[in-house]
Amino acid sequence: MAGLTPSQTVGPFFHYALTDDHTVSELASPQTRGQRITLRGRVLDGEGRAVPDAMIEIWQADAEGRYDHPDDHQDRPRDPTFHGFGRCASDERGCYTFRTIKPGPVAGPGNTLQAPHILVNLFARGLLKQLVTRVYFAHEPLNDSDPVLGLVEDDGRRATLIANAEGDGSYVFDIHLGGASETVFFET
Amino acid sequence: MAKPHELWSAMSDVPGYRPIPEGAMPTHPFPDYRSNPVRVPRRPLVPIPHTLSEVTGPVYGHEAVRTAEADLTTQHAGAPLGERIIVWGRVIDEDERAVPNTLLEIWQANAAGRYIHQLDQHPAPLDPNFTGAGRAVSDSQGNYRFVTIRPGAYPWKNHDNAWRPAHIHISLFGPSFVTRLVTQMYFPGDPLLPLDPIYNSVPDPRARERLVASFDLEATVPEWALGYRFDIVLRGRRATPMEA
Ligand SMILES: [Fe+2]
């Protein structure tokens, strides 16, 4: 067995290598199937201050719940116009924005079905290893039986994983690194 | 507390990844790194199973990576100042299997210890012939290779007279969401390593040492550049969903 290479912080100076030229904030093309959404929010530290130097990466299935990955053997067609990866840097107000489609439900452990969700890897100066969370969508019937959401017992804490719809078709998902409304982060 | 994998192994349809060994990754809060405590959660992380969402991940932008992007010394009209070096290695998993076709992105300070980033205030000169960013894709054996210059150490305001050891930032994806890794490569024998909180945030000293490249005479090109070898080990997969 080979020993793992440890994680180290992304630091404050990643933009010119990772996001200036290699941002992916538009995930859907005009041909992509599914409901267009804007996923946006702010990244805030434990004292409620904006985190202006975070990198947010997302990973999601297409509108049918298929991932663009060889290990997804679900018996349903994949949308070839959609790849499901996004990344961007937060701005000086801690804001991030992705334009994408709402993912479909994905198979879960056993015979479960996971509610529509988007995975998040968050990197920033100060973090020695990325933080992992998931974005779920308000009013999805499958949320009540989702096998991962169900692991978060406290209602208030579970609410930190739910993006709420705004009038303009966007879903807002703020990421609180600490404080009273600290977002649930996962150990994977 | 049960590890996520033990908790779920009997129910999972997809083989997940092995749990991270104790001490192999930094944990938080880590107050020696001054900006850490206010940016990390205080409540425990919630262990979750590796579902299809976690065992898949982006195969990101590989088609667009040009061979020339792995040479950071030929991006401008002239050659950058500093000691030209070759950094190469293998990307493998914990089972020592090659991780082919994975994107590596690197960035670093110039030989004077200055980043081209607009927020870098260190009063050391910029080098008009050095940007300090490169990309490469591992080959079918997991091998990658960059040509660059040795970065300088630089001061930071973490504590009194704090200096970062010379390092190259490296970002790579691997085959799934949970193999995503952002790390830093250090140089052997750097006297700043024992003093650096970021390096020392890795609890297990043997794991920490895996962040230090080794001098590689075989990779050294006579009359041209010193070689350094830096192998990168990503999380390995469990053999079957049922393996406990
Ligand atoms: Fe750095």
Side-chain angles (χ1 to χ4, degrees), chain A residues 5-6 18 57 87 121 123 130, chain B residues 58 62 90-92 99 102-107 136 138 142 144 169-184 230-234:
Chain A
T5 302
L18 301 185
E57 289 185 348
R87 90 167 154 189
N121 259 332
F123 303 84
Q130 69 261 43
Chain B
H62 302 186
R90 271 191 95 201
V91 186
I92 57 174
V99 178
T102 202
L103 177 68
L104 296 101
E105 296 162 289
I106 68 169
W107 67 106
S138 63
Y144 73 93
H169 294 267
I170 307 181
S171 162
L172 61 169
F173 285 84
S176 76
F177 182 82
V178 300
T179 53
R180 183 83 177 92
L181 177 71
V182 172
T183 188
Q184 300 180 26
F230 187 63
D231 292 338
I232 300 169
V233 182
L234 303 180

Side-chain angles (χ1 to χ4, degrees), chain A residues 2 4-6 8 15 22 46 53 57 59 67 69 71 87 110 117 125-126 134 182 185 187-188, chain B residues 11 13 33 36 38-39 42-43 46 50 53-54 60 94 105 117 175 180 183 186 210 233 235 237:
Chain A
L4 279 181
T5 302
Q8 297 274 269
H15 301 81
H22 305 299
D53 50 7
E57 289 185 348
W59 173 241
Y67 285 103
H69 191 279
D71 288 344
R87 90 167 154 189
H117 65 278
R125 173 179 65 82
R134 282 181 171 212
E182 184 179 293
F185 295 101
E187 177 192 329
T188 57
Chain B
M11 300 175 63
D13 304 312
Y33 181 14
N36 175 269
V38 78
R39 287 188 162 192
R42 289 312 165 106
R43 296 178 175 86
V46 176
H50 291 174
S53 304
E54 283 76 24
Y60 172 60
E94 290 171 285
E105 296 162 289
H117 195 284
R180 183 83 177 92
T183 188
Y186 301 95
R210 293 196 285 270
V233 182
R235 292 175 75 174
R237 243 173 140 150

